[in-house]
Amino acid sequence: MSKGRVWNKGKRNGGGGPAPGTGYKEKLAASQPETHKVEVIDLSNPINQVKRMNRETWVERQARVNREQK
């Protein structure tokens, strides 16, 4: 059998590889958006605000008790 007639072409016997245009660099270049949108964050929304935590309403958990096995 010649090199080009192998049914399972791979790296070592002369063929295979990705189809043209499907390589990593081509996919990366195609997926890059050409225009960059700037997202405007609404700071009046309570979800987007960072506030101090109210520590007066915290509940303390009891300490873990290690029981000895008999």
Side-chain angles (χ1 to χ4, degrees), residues 24-42:
Y24 173 74
K25 291 180 181 177
E26 289 90 357
K27 285 183 181 178
L28 186 64
S31 68
Q32 295 289 335
E34 293 182 12
T35 59
H36 296 284
K37 287 188 174 182
V38 177
E39 183 179 348
V40 179
I41 299 173
D42 181 21

Side-chain angles (χ1 to χ4, degrees), residues 59-67:
V59 178
E60 291 188 21
R61 184 180 292 181
Q62 297 176 357
R64 176 176 279 189
V65 179
N66 291 332
R67 288 187 253 166

Side-chain angles (χ1 to χ4, degrees), residues 37-66:
K37 287 188 174 182
V38 177
E39 183 179 348
V40 179
I41 299 173
D42 181 21
L43 294 177
S44 63
N45 187 351
I47 294 174
N48 297 329
Q49 295 177 359
V50 178
K51 296 182 179 179
R52 288 179 156 259
M53 296 176 68
N54 186 4
R55 293 194 170 107
E56 288 140 11
T57 60
W58 282 13
V59 178
E60 291 188 21
R61 184 180 292 181
Q62 297 176 357
R64 176 176 279 189
V65 179
N66 291 332

